[in-house]
Amino acid sequence: MLRLIRFLRPYRYMVILTMVFMLLQSMANLYLPTLMSLIVNEGVVKQDIPYIAKIGGLMLLVSAVGAALSVAASYMSSRAATGFGMGLRRSVFAHVERFSLQEFDKFGTASLVTRTTNDINQVQQVLVMVLRMMVMAPMMCIGGIVMAVSMDAKLSVVIIVVMPILALLIYAVMAKGIPHFQAMQAKIDRLNLILREYLTGIRVVRAFNRTEHERVRFDEANRDLTATAIKASQIMAAMMPLMMLVMNVTQIAIVWFGGLRISAGQLQVGDLMAFLQYAMQILFSLMMASMILTMIPRASASASRIHEVLETEPVILDREGASAASANSTEGVRFDRVTFRYPGAEKPALSDISFEALPGQVTAIIGGTGSGKTTLVSLIARFHDVETGSVSVGGTDVRDLTQQALRAKIGFVPQKALLFTGTVADNIRYGKEDATDEEVRHAAEVAQCGEFIASFPQGFDSVISQGGTNVSGGQKQRLSIARALVRKPDVYVFDDSFSALDFKTDAKLRAALKEETHEATVIIVAQRVSTVMDADQIVVLEEGAVAGIGTHQELMKTCGVYREIVTSQLTEEEIA
């Protein structure tokens, strides 16, 4: 947790004020038993009513000041802790934004969500307690010991004997509880993962009648988490009754030995009452410390998980001296003897890939499932870095450009169309934040979205639900294409972005795209031969290697792999 304290710096003055207020409150609490002893020893014994009223009034004033300081300290500590949580969440989110796909695969989406929400909340809750108690508990404990010893040094032996016993009890409970709290966070990750998979894959689950199977998976993970949480809670719950037992035995011992000393004339009744109060303050301060300690193991585990995210450096970073200048739009995309291997893979996903996609041309990439088509185009936007060789955009190696400058020149439409919560216009403007209404409408028309958007009750202001569940797969793809078109980039990458379109819409869209993107470099990944037949250049992939490059007619003569793909999809009449 100490590694995350830097996020408290903006609120350091609130932290200091909290400490000052708690210090003053502790002094007020320590002063009250002394005043009480004065009333009993002087006022009650001498039956001096004015004296009792005077000291009693002072006690009320001290109590009121202590209460006001407690409220002020609570306010300051809450402000500081919630500000700490806000800053930490912002930093984690900003850091995760820099992650490459490799880091996302390492942590997993469900775990990152848990770390950004649940784990930070755990640390924030403990911080509120720590800010309030880290001054008050030690002050009450040390101050209580000093005052108790000043009252009666011999009777203080009872407290000296009890304190190590309490410390050993706290240590024993904490030693057994910490591993369970650490395990709980990992099991929360597992529960979130199963829940996320079920909710995002609800259509598949129901289509295959696997609802009961998913319920069993969830119940198993839920029971596992519950069992761990119960075991941890049982261990921690044992602390309070044990401490109360020790406190009650301590009270009995103080009253017993104190009574003997009063009988011997060595101690006054008021001093015994004050001593008893100081003993309770010492033990309560230890109890407060133990309450914080019961929360610290889980918060410590959460803090370690948060720190792990913040300390993970992305694999893909801007090189020192990387150019933020725009790439040359007169040059296209060039792959020069590119080899790429996924981390931990035995064989490369791409081997010795070389070709050039020029501006004003359409370059299509086709191949069987698993041939490396999506992997290849992901290298253009530098979602991964090549193992050997180079990928150039606008005549510059993508590693010599900042990621922001590189991606500003690319309009990328992923294989799986993704829409965000918001209006239709908001989703199209995601490609260009300052796009005018006219630019949004034009991009939608080119992407063949105009007809179905017009059918919506509010047109471009119609709301897209989470994940785009209120539009069809083809409509999602066309809106994703419009999002790329509104950007007017130098390079368009369509990763199998026409798969959900019917042949008529596909043909109309490709015709409109040809006119709209005639000056840009266009790279299309496709499974359907009809989508790539008219391309200026077709790159055929097989098992991560180039099997052939050329036009449709050239490849029909020279590339057996391409010929096999064509004959599997088209009749002889269509081929002719």
Side-chain angles (χ1 to χ4, degrees), residues 492-505:
Y492 289 91
V493 178
F494 299 99
D495 184 7
D496 202 11
S497 308
F498 310 100
S499 58
L501 306 181
D502 58 75
F503 285 100
K504 180 181 176 183
T505 306

Side-chain angles (χ1 to χ4, degrees), residues 214-244:
E214 291 300 319
R215 185 180 291 116
V216 170
R217 283 181 71 210
F218 183 84
D219 284 346
E220 287 176 354
N222 197 17
R223 286 195 191 97
D224 191 22
L225 173 61
T226 303
T228 305
I230 289 173
K231 192 170 288 186
S233 298
Q234 285 173 338
I235 293 169
M236 292 305 172
M239 185 179 291
M240 190 56 67
L242 286 172
M243 293 193 70
M244 291 302 298

Side-chain angles (χ1 to χ4, degrees), residues 354-568:
S354 295
F355 71 91
E356 189 170 8
L358 298 173
Q361 293 185 356
V362 175
T363 298
I365 300 169
I366 195 168
T369 302
S371 59
K373 302 183 298 297
T374 297
T375 301
L376 185 144
V377 295
S378 70
L379 297 177
I380 299 171
R382 208 186 165 201
F383 294 147
H384 301 286
D385 269 343
V386 299
E387 184 176 305
T388 61
S390 65
V391 179
S392 302
V393 173
T396 306
D397 191 318
V398 294
R399 292 167 295 189
D400 292 329
L401 290 167
T402 64
Q403 294 175 65
Q404 186 174 2
L406 170 65
R407 290 165 189 165
K409 290 296 175 184
I410 299 172
F412 193 90
V413 184
Q415 191 173 20
K416 183 180 179 181
L418 175 66
L419 299 181
F420 298 91
T421 306
T423 65
V424 172
D426 290 339
N427 272 276
I428 295 175
R429 280 198 178 92
Y430 202 84
K432 184 184 178 184
E433 192 175 356
D434 58 349
T436 63
D437 291 343
E438 184 56 39
E439 287 176 320
V440 169
R441 287 193 187 89
H442 178 70
E445 289 297 329
V446 174
Q448 308 303 303
C449 302
E451 187 176 338
F452 75 78
I453 291 175
S455 68
F456 291 162
Q458 295 176 298
F460 283 90
D461 293 325
S462 299
V463 175
I464 299 292
S465 63
Q466 185 177 4
T469 53
N470 60 339
V471 292
S472 68
Q475 290 170 342
K476 277 187 190 179
Q477 284 193 337
R478 281 177 278 172
L479 286 170
S480 296
I481 292 168
R483 184 166 59 201
L485 289 170
V486 79
R487 195 169 197 170
K488 299 188 185 306
D490 295 330
V491 179
Y492 289 91
V493 178
F494 299 99
D495 184 7
D496 202 11
S497 308
F498 310 100
S499 58
L501 306 181
D502 58 75
F503 285 100
K504 180 181 176 183
T505 306
D506 185 357
K508 288 172 66 177
L509 177 55
R510 282 187 287 112
L513 280 175
K514 193 168 186 178
E515 185 177 339
E516 182 72 15
T517 63
H518 65 278
E519 293 182 353
T521 302
V522 179
I523 298 174
I524 298 175
V525 173
Q527 298 280 0
R528 293 200 301 228
V529 172
S530 59
T531 303
V532 305
M533 283 177 63
D534 297 329
D536 299 293
Q537 176 182 231
I538 302 172
V539 179
V540 184
L541 295 182
E542 184 182 29
E543 296 184 358
V546 175
I549 299 177
T551 62
H552 171 71
Q553 289 77 14
E554 291 170 348
L555 290 171
M556 286 297 292
K557 297 174 184 176
T558 61
C559 183
V561 175
Y562 182 74
R563 204 163 40 245
E564 185 180 335
I565 294 171
V566 172
T567 54
S568 69

Side-chain angles (χ1 to χ4, degrees), residues 226-353:
T226 303
T228 305
I230 289 173
K231 192 170 288 186
S233 298
Q234 285 173 338
I235 293 169
M236 292 305 172
M239 185 179 291
M240 190 56 67
L242 286 172
M243 293 193 70
M244 291 302 298
L245 175 64
V246 172
M247 286 180 63
N248 290 330
V249 170
T250 303
Q251 281 185 311
I252 293 169
I254 290 171
V255 171
W256 176 269
F257 291 111
L260 293 175
R261 290 184 64 76
I262 290 172
S263 298
Q266 297 171 338
L267 186 69
Q268 292 184 326
V269 174
D271 290 341
L272 175 61
M273 293 178 65
F275 188 93
L276 199 59
Q277 288 294 315
Y278 285 127
M280 291 304 100
Q281 285 183 355
I282 294 166
L283 296 177
F284 270 116
S285 68
L286 290 175
M287 283 186 65
M288 288 189 289
S290 70
M291 287 173 60
I292 296 173
L293 290 174
T294 59
M295 299 173 70
I296 282 177
R298 189 172 180 183
S300 179
S302 295
S304 297
R305 285 156 51 86
I306 297 164
H307 187 259
E308 185 183 4
V309 174
L310 292 173
E311 288 298 300
T312 299
E313 282 300 320
V315 174
I316 296 177
L317 294 167
D318 292 339
R319 282 181 175 176
E320 190 173 343
S323 174
S326 300
N328 187 352
S329 60
T330 61
E331 297 190 44
V333 176
R334 187 167 182 263
F335 281 72
D336 184 16
R337 304 183 69 82
V338 168
T339 296
F340 171 75
R341 185 194 313 266
Y342 284 105
E346 292 183 3
K347 57 183 291 188
L350 298 171
S351 300
D352 199 29
I353 304 290

Side-chain angles (χ1 to χ4, degrees), residues 28 32 55-67:
L32 285 172
I55 302 299
L58 185 57
M59 288 180 69
L60 287 173
L61 178 62
V62 171
S63 298
V65 171

